[in-house]
Amino acid sequence: MAGIYIHIPFCRQACHYCNFHFATSLHYKNELVNAVSLELTLQEKYLENVPVGTIYFGGGTPSILNVGDVAAIMEKVKTVFVVTPGAEITLEANPDDLTEEKLIGWKKAGINRLSIGIQSFFDEDLQWMNRAHSAKQAIDNLHLAKRYFDNITIDLIYGTPTLTHEKWKQNVDTAITLNIPHLSCYALTVETKTPLDKMIRQHQKENINPEKQSEQFLLLMEWLDEAGYEHYEISNFAQPGWRSRHNSTYWSTGASGQGKNYLGIGPSAHSFNGAERQWNVSNNTIYIESINRGIIPFEKEVLTVVQKLNEYIMTSLRTMEGLKLERLDKVAAEKLKEASRKYIDSGLAKLESNSLILTRQGRLLADGIAADLFF
Ligand code: SF4
């Protein structure tokens, strides 16, 4: 089964921490939607007729689009590719875009899962992040969304200077009380060249405190475990049966690159076919002009055996199932076992059924441990 990701590169305002590709001017929105449709046709052969099991509208802010735009793109996807019945079709939405009309329209267009960028239920945090929505919109419109969709995931951010442990508890409790089946919870990171980075360097904003962030991650794991959520990927928690199938596509790629292929459409979108990774230009105007000339503006790299192995280490260690040693050749498996000994001895990882799995403490250091184990 393959996946399709569609990048909609527009946002109402720039969140200070964000380093994704987006524009705050909607000037080229129609041209972009047309170009996305055109690229779908140009990429007809990419998935080699493998049926599409998941479609994901990400961004940016796909909920900025009119219902008609989403419906037109969906129609095009179905015309060009074989979409399996029951495919998971997700649309990322911001709370301020959630209206009854849009919710009904998206559902009619085939969207069956919403990913809502809540981040916090407190105005103080939202303002600190420069989010476009208010706490009231977050709660009211989440209630509204629940009337039309049962498959909902929300994003929450922890580790911001304004977020106390008490507020963090309230944010998580609100999600649990609302019975939201899937949560993506991210530690705020300060990416270079973002407004947040600049503000911190100019002492206009307080920096993040890594210790507080680690504490909030540990608390989160505890609370959600008690509430019955599976911590199936480092940032993702699901009630049983509600894992994201689309994201699992990215995480299920095996040590030799086997796994599910995905096609990325739109500026900055990435694609992977088991051997090569390619990514479209991160510029709306260049993207639109090029697509209109029938040329997909992308760069690509052919992954080496070692790169594939390292990617497998990186992604698998972030999952609940861990790194399956049987997916590595004998020599690599032995080397990895040896190198991971110190993490097992110090309680950061464990070996279970021939899989290397990070413990809660280990999850705090997942990226560093993975990097240390790289070949
Ligand atoms: S809405 Fe999302 S993509 Fe847009 S600026 Fe904010 S975090 Fe970035």
Side-chain angles (χ1 to χ4, degrees):
M1 209 78 81
I4 295 181
Y5 172 82
I6 299 164
H7 190 82
I8 305 299
F10 301 107
C11 294
R12 292 196 195 284
Q13 73 184 41
C15 304
H16 284 163
Y17 57 87
C18 181
N19 71 342
F20 293 143
H21 168 64
F22 66 93
T24 46
S25 157
L26 296 184
H27 198 67
Y28 292 111
K29 185 174 76 70
N30 294 342
E31 288 84 345
L32 193 284
V33 170
N34 291 337
V36 160
S37 276
L38 208 52
E39 192 192 352
L40 283 162
T41 308
L42 294 171
Q43 292 281 31
E44 195 178 357
K45 303 262 180 320
Y46 190 85
L47 296 174
E48 297 172 336
N49 292 327
V50 174
V52 174
T54 64
I55 301 167
Y56 193 100
F57 288 80
T61 311
S63 55
I64 267 185
L65 296 183
N66 305 326
V67 166
D69 295 332
V70 175
I73 295 172
M74 275 304 301
E75 265 317 299
K76 192 56 179 264
V77 173
K78 287 189 204 147
T79 313
V80 178
F81 298 94
V82 184
V83 179
T84 56
E88 177 192 273
I89 306 174
T90 308
L91 182 127
E92 281 183 354
N94 276 343
D96 41 319
D97 286 325
L98 295 175
T99 61
E100 201 147 22
E101 187 205 336
K102 281 195 169 178
L103 290 162
I104 293 169
W106 292 333
K107 222 174 161 175
K108 218 169 140 200
I111 306 295
N112 52 29
R113 183 171 183 269
L114 284 186
S115 170
I116 307 176
I118 299 285
Q119 318 311 352
S120 174
F121 292 103
F122 291 94
D123 281 327
E124 187 190 14
D125 306 328
L126 296 169
Q127 282 156 14
W128 190 90
M129 294 183 242
N130 202 40
R131 297 287 307 184
H133 67 275
S134 66
K136 186 175 172 358
Q137 279 174 320
I139 197 81
D140 289 353
N141 293 348
L142 191 50
H143 277 287
L144 182 67
K146 272 173 61 72
R147 295 218 322 249
Y148 296 94
F149 287 84
D150 53 358
N151 198 351
I152 290 180
T153 176
I154 65 170
D155 289 351
L156 292 175
I157 288 182
Y158 60 91
T160 52
T162 52
L163 187 75
T164 58
H165 288 2
E166 291 69 34
K167 280 164 71 190
W168 182 221
K169 173 102 175 85
Q170 284 185 52
N171 276 342
V172 176
D173 277 350
T174 303
I176 295 169
T177 310
L178 285 171
N179 199 22
I180 304 297
H182 186 285
L183 310 177
S184 295
C185 302
Y186 301 102
L188 182 86
T189 48
V190 183
E191 305 290 348
T192 49
K193 295 190 183 144
T194 56
L196 179 61
D197 179 37
K198 198 171 157 205
M199 287 170 176
I200 290 173
R201 277 191 284 109
Q202 293 176 345
H203 305 289
Q204 292 165 357
K205 269 196 171 160
E206 193 185 326
N207 204 346
I208 51 172
N209 173 344
E211 269 169 39
K212 179 176 144 186
Q213 203 160 52
S214 297
E215 283 167 18
Q216 293 190 343
F217 186 42
L218 285 170
L219 287 168
L220 173 74
M221 289 190 270
E222 206 180 293
W223 297 331
L224 289 178
D225 184 41
E226 275 166 20
Y229 287 77
E230 293 172 337
H231 189 185
Y232 73 105
E233 199 271 346
I234 211 129
S235 309
N236 289 282
F237 301 79
Q239 291 175 350
W242 293 92
R243 293 188 187 193
S244 155
R245 278 191 266 150
H246 184 80
N247 287 344
S248 300
T249 303
Y250 301 131
W251 304 324
S252 66
T253 303
S256 54
Q258 82 276 16
K260 296 167 188 163
N261 297 350
Y262 54 86
L263 168 64
I265 298 286
S268 83
H270 284 230
S271 306
F272 181 67
N273 66 2
E276 293 169 359
R277 193 197 348 256
Q278 65 184 56
W279 54 96
N280 286 349
V281 65
S282 296
N283 179 303
N284 292 358
T285 324
I286 296 176
Y287 171 79
I288 292 165
E289 280 173 7
S290 182
I291 292 288
N292 286 340
R293 281 185 284 118
I295 299 162
I296 302 165
F298 70 90
E299 286 179 65
K300 71 172 179 182
E301 67 173 339
V302 181
L303 297 188
T304 63
V305 174
V306 172
Q307 273 175 316
K308 285 179 194 169
L309 196 51
N310 288 344
E311 284 209 359
Y312 177 62
I313 293 173
M314 183 64 125
T315 49
S316 64
L317 279 183
R318 294 173 62 91
T319 65
M320 186 168 122
E321 284 73 25
L323 188 162
K324 295 187 193 325
L325 289 167
E326 82 246 13
R327 292 211 189 164
L328 274 53
D329 69 49
K330 235 176 166 177
V331 178
E334 272 315 310
K335 272 192 180 166
L336 207 116
K337 234 172 166 172
E338 197 45 46
S340 58
R341 179 73 40 215
K342 61 184 178 212
Y343 297 116
I344 296 169
D345 291 345
S346 57
L348 295 174
K350 55 185 178 182
L351 253 186
E352 250 178 39
S353 318
N354 213 26
S355 293
L356 182 69
I357 301 167
L358 296 184
T359 60
R360 278 193 191 172
Q361 287 293 336
R363 287 179 168 192
L364 290 172
L365 307 164
D367 289 349
I369 295 175
D372 183 50
L373 295 177
F374 280 173
F375 284 87

